[in-house]
Amino acid sequence: MKPKANICLLKRDLRVEDNRTLYQCYMNSEKILPIFVFDKDVLKSVGIEELSDHRLSFLLDIIENLRKQIKLYVFVGNDQEAISRIIERYDIKALYTSKPLTFSGKHRNQKIKEFLKYRGIQMIEVLDNVLCDYTKIPYRKVYTYFYNEWKNYLDLEMVKDVDYNTKIIHDEFLEDLTRISIQQVKSKIKNTTIWTYEFGINRIKEYDFSKYEELRNDLGIDYSSKLSPYIRFGVLSIRKVYNLAKDKSIGFIKELAWREFWYHIAHYFPELPNLEFQERRRNIAWENNEKYIDSIEKAQTGYPIIDACIIQLKRENWMHNRARLIFGSFLTKDLLTDWRIGEKIFSKYLIDYDEVVNLGNWQWISSVGPDPKPLRIFNPILQAQKFDPFSKFIKKYLPQLSNMEPHKLHDPLSNKLNYYPPIVNHHERIEKIKQAYS
């Protein structure tokens, strides 16, 4: 007779502290088997084409640290294969996993649910990694209205600390498979990352949320929280982050609400990946000029502030929030390039890439998404002057320009630089942008 156990499939809840899925599995099971799957189909759906992506290096570091806290079994392949390995050895009655927040996550859970159904195994989805059930909030198409409602739906109760290892089955066969899986991933990783488990744990301990609103937009200093990758993968409890910030920065709390606003929009508007939210903006004549797109890929636009943004993205697999706004506006407005192209660029490089949040942000910055303001056009020259006044950001990523005066680097149209010529003149493009958006 097979021993009885329940499976806890961890996905974007890669922590022990305040893990609702793990806790529910523990409380409702005699024995548990926590697992994580490097599912190749899932990875590909979010832009990770091969087992060499920088995000895999980050994920593996998180997994190895998590395994120091609990016995976690790791598989490479797909969910069904991993679960099959387990049900061959155990009498499984239920699989616990987190409720999906993204389109790809819903597709993944549906496949698992169908696989389990024919084997008489119950699938229990637990909502986590959000501060409220955004599906229960009446449909709000404007962020401000959503935020006012969101505050009334907050669910901040944290689960108790328990010793999960007391119920986890120690299986040498599965442990051997885990060692093989981890070695397989390690052997394929070529692009390591500066993002580590340790950095996130230390960052939240040291970060002063009270200075967030004052310093968050300054490109020249390190004052973004940089917690987004750790929130995205559930390395940090979203409720813990909220509690640390709530009395210190209303601006940071509003950013957490923005994240859930996009999940809310995607819930009511599932066409978000391919269709502009604003009906009147569904027929923009995007130029999609290959020369411009090539200049973006090579960070050779002739605007130092834009090129610095691109280099930061490629080098660090992350981009400062203000830089994302400047870059996004330049790509979609100045270059009249389809926002979907920008979304794909971010999906390729961002360590904190979240399908729904990325889609929402790109629709917002391209003025085709939920936004009461008709048309936002960021002037890259003014943005550089305001948010990188001493050109610290520009010079960090473009050291070849380190001897140039800041005011010249800010405005490559008025000053002759020993640099790539600007691919477009922002001032001359304004009328064309307005026509395209009309």
Side-chain angles (χ1 to χ4, degrees), residues 8 15-16 19-26 32 34 70 164:
C8 182
R15 66 184 184 281
V16 172
N19 187 321
R20 288 184 171 180
T21 306
L22 188 58
Y23 183 77
Q24 284 205 29
C25 184
Y26 173 89
I32 64 174
I70 61 168
Y164 293 105

Side-chain angles (χ1 to χ4, degrees), residues 154-165:
L154 292 175
D155 175 10
L156 303 173
E157 184 178 356
M158 297 177 71
V159 301
K160 298 175 184 176
D161 289 331
V162 296
D163 185 359
Y164 293 105
N165 287 306

Side-chain angles (χ1 to χ4, degrees), residues 232-274:
R232 185 261 180 263
F233 287 103
V235 181
L236 298 172
S237 159
I238 190 69
R239 290 168 289 278
K240 179 178 180 179
V241 175
Y242 177 92
N243 288 330
L244 289 172
K246 65 180 181 180
D247 296 325
K248 297 179 180 177
S249 174
I250 190 64
F252 189 88
I253 297 301
K254 286 182 176 179
E255 290 302 312
L256 296 181
W258 263 109
R259 174 176 174 267
E260 296 184 20
F261 174 62
W262 294 128
Y263 297 141
H264 175 80
I265 290 294
H267 173 70
Y268 288 102
F269 184 70
E271 298 86 359
L272 189 69
N274 300 305

Side-chain angles (χ1 to χ4, degrees), residues 192-196 199 230 315-317:
T192 55
T193 177
I194 61 173
W195 300 90
T196 63
F199 175 84
Y230 303 92
R315 184 182 300 171
E316 300 176 9
N317 308 128

Side-chain angles (χ1 to χ4, degrees), residues 206-238:
E206 299 165 358
Y207 189 73
D208 186 353
F209 288 97
S210 66
K211 295 180 181 177
Y212 176 77
E213 284 164 89
E214 175 190 354
L215 302 175
R216 60 173 292 205
N217 281 307
D218 191 327
L219 290 164
I221 61 174
D222 180 24
Y223 226 84
S224 285
S225 75
K226 292 187 174 177
L227 296 177
S228 55
Y230 303 92
I231 292 173
R232 185 261 180 263
F233 287 103
V235 181
L236 298 172
S237 159
I238 190 69

Side-chain angles (χ1 to χ4, degrees), residues 332-346:
T332 58
K333 308 292 174 51
D334 288 67
L335 304 186
L336 282 174
T337 298
D338 195 325
W339 58 272
R340 296 167 188 83
I341 292 173
E343 197 277 337
K344 281 186 171 56
I345 291 172
F346 274 16

